[in-house]
Amino acid sequence: KKLFFAIFSFCLSLGAFAQNERTTSFQIEVDAIHSRSDVNHYYSNWGSEIYFNRIVNKHRVGISVRGLYNRGAFSCNTITSEGKRIYQHTNCWNKWLGIKLNYAYNVYASEHSAISVSPFVSLNYLIIADSGVRNSVWYQYQKKYNNKFGFGAALEYEVKFNAFSTSLKLAPDCVFAAPIKDGYPIDNFSVLFNIDRCITLKYTFGESVTEFVN
């Protein structure tokens, strides 16, 4: 968490002291998300994310809150070290909540469109509530991962319509859920790799020209 808030302070400073830039504004952004990860518990997720951004010319600093949900199912066959076969069918009712800080830079910008790249860091809360059948026996499994650090980057193509804009965004990231000991994760999974595919709607307001004193 200390690293998360240190980066948060850096992002605020970057937005506040961009002395070479002239145009500042604020932005509210809402994303509709579908994501996939390499962990069965979060294989296919739907959700949304809301941002509050500050824009300083080609720079954008933002904070967001997001929620993802997976109500899918998966099956797996495993063999234990004793040679016993385990068949498992799992129904998921899992949630993934997060707080994200991001910095974006427009690598291309025109009056009606822009392309940006944006590294980000996040704090994540994973709530697993599985149930299903394991070798014909009903079972339930619950687990929470709190305050898990993550990072990633997004690539975005934006189309502008005056104060409103919309965009397509791809955002791969990873979350460190549990440590590894002796080469093996000490929990169900250690690192969660994920990619968000987003459609966004943005509203920009409060544009002004900032005067600087030399």
Side-chain angles (χ1 to χ4, degrees):
K1 287 192 289 185
K2 291 181 179 179
L3 177 61
F4 180 83
F5 288 112
I7 297 173
F8 177 52
S9 300
F10 172 76
C11 290
L12 287 181
S13 300
L14 184 66
F17 299 106
Q19 295 293 312
N20 294 327
E21 311 299 347
R22 304 288 293 177
T23 305
T24 64
S25 56
F26 297 92
Q27 186 180 73
I28 294 175
E29 173 185 343
V30 179
D31 295 7
I33 304 172
H34 177 254
S35 73
R36 287 190 181 274
S37 81
D38 65 336
V39 173
N40 284 330
H41 304 283
Y42 294 99
Y43 176 69
S44 180
N45 314 286
W46 296 90
S48 60
E49 188 166 12
I50 184 167
Y51 287 79
F52 182 75
N53 300 320
R54 181 173 185 240
I55 301 173
V56 184
N57 204 2
K58 292 185 177 182
H59 307 274
R60 184 173 75 239
V61 178
I63 184 170
S64 72
V65 177
R66 78 168 178 173
L68 297 175
Y69 306 90
N70 179 16
R71 294 188 176 182
F74 65 90
S75 299
C76 59
N77 276 302
T78 58
I79 299 177
T80 66
S81 58
E82 293 82 16
K84 181 180 179 181
R85 182 178 294 275
I86 298 176
Y87 173 77
Q88 181 173 308
H89 179 78
T90 301
N91 297 306
C92 301
W93 298 88
N94 302 328
K95 300 179 177 125
W96 178 353
L97 309 176
I99 302 172
K100 184 187 294 181
L101 305 173
N102 78 288
Y103 164 75
Y105 179 77
N106 286 344
V107 295
Y108 165 80
S110 68
E111 183 180 357
H112 299 294
S113 64
I115 298 174
S116 64
V117 292
S118 54
F120 58 82
V121 294
S122 60
L123 279 180
N124 299 275
Y125 305 83
L126 307 174
I127 303 170
I128 297 177
D130 291 343
S131 62
V133 176
R134 183 184 295 122
N135 285 359
S136 302
V137 178
W138 178 261
Y139 80 95
Q140 289 184 313
Y141 175 80
Q142 294 186 341
K143 177 71 177 181
K144 292 183 179 180
Y145 298 85
N146 296 323
N147 298 320
K148 299 305 177 181
F149 178 79
F151 72 93
L155 177 64
E156 182 176 6
Y157 175 70
E158 181 179 2
V159 179
K160 305 173 186 177
F161 306 94
N162 296 322
F164 290 93
S165 63
T166 186
S167 69
L168 297 175
K169 184 191 301 183
L170 286 176
D173 66 327
C174 64
V175 176
F176 299 93
I180 295 176
K181 184 178 181 180
D182 299 327
Y184 296 94
I186 65 173
D187 218 323
N188 276 348
F189 54 92
S190 178
V191 181
L192 188 155
F193 295 96
N194 180 71
I195 183 166
D196 289 346
R197 294 171 286 192
C198 313
I199 299 175
T200 81
L201 179 64
K202 303 176 184 180
Y203 175 69
T204 305
F205 60 95
E207 185 170 312
S208 64
V209 175
T210 304
E211 297 293 341
F212 302 105
V213 178
N214 294 324

